Amino acid sequence: MNSKTISSRSSSRLSQQLKIVSCIFILVTAIEVINLLTGRMLNQFGNIPRYVPGLIGVVLGPFLHGSFSHYLSNIVPLCVLSFLMLQYGNKRFFAVTLFCIILTGLLVWLFGRSASHIGMSSVIYSYFGFLLLAGFLSRKFSLIAISLLVGFFYGGLIFGVLPARTFVSWEGHLFGFISGLIAARLWAKNVRL
């Protein structure tokens, strides 16, 4: 395989990854705009623990935000960590994302405080947990480098799993982080780069 073919594949892969991240940005932003324009009416679909109709929030809750500043605090790390997650391949990215959204949501529904748990931070913490551990489990230099970079730049996130502020779903952060670690154990090995 010559260098032009490798360069073309790398360029095509990067282009596809940037398209996926752009789609995530557009989807989350579109939902935020609709939610903002409807006076946060969509937030009724948050994850409400031990309330059977609140089960819909297991899947929908992460896409909702309590305020525009809440959305802004999540959108950049979501896009950055999504891009890093895509280094494990598109199929793994979608499998890990779906697994973590559902597992985190169910754990919050079972064990969380009685409140409406919303926001992409639970997914961000899932990606954080996955990326911290997965590189070392993969034993691939480039993925270990990602783990180290994530630990260096986002290591402060770990304090978000503690019950510091009543209006923050630390349960979503904690269970998201745990879900990401579990997903790393399940999907980090045998990565083809």
Side-chain angles (χ1 to χ4, degrees), residues 71-150:
Y71 156 81
L72 286 177
S73 69
N74 281 337
I75 196 66
V76 173
L78 175 67
C79 290
V80 170
L81 295 177
S82 292
F83 178 76
L84 295 175
M85 289 287 298
L86 283 162
Q87 304 319 300
Y88 287 83
N90 296 356
K91 285 182 182 175
R92 258 175 235 240
F93 168 75
F94 289 111
V96 168
T97 300
L98 184 61
F99 172 83
C100 287
I101 286 174
I102 291 171
L103 181 58
T104 302
L106 288 173
L107 289 171
V108 169
W109 191 85
L110 288 169
F111 304 111
R113 282 169 297 153
S114 185
S116 182
H117 296 260
I118 56 174
M120 267 293 162
S121 56
S122 60
V123 176
I124 290 166
Y125 272 82
S126 296
Y127 290 169
F128 174 60
F130 181 90
L131 290 167
L132 272 183
L133 181 59
F136 297 103
L137 295 177
S138 74
R139 297 184 179 164
K140 298 205 179 327
F141 177 76
S142 61
L143 299 179
I144 292 170
I146 288 173
S147 290
L148 293 171
L149 286 170
V150 167

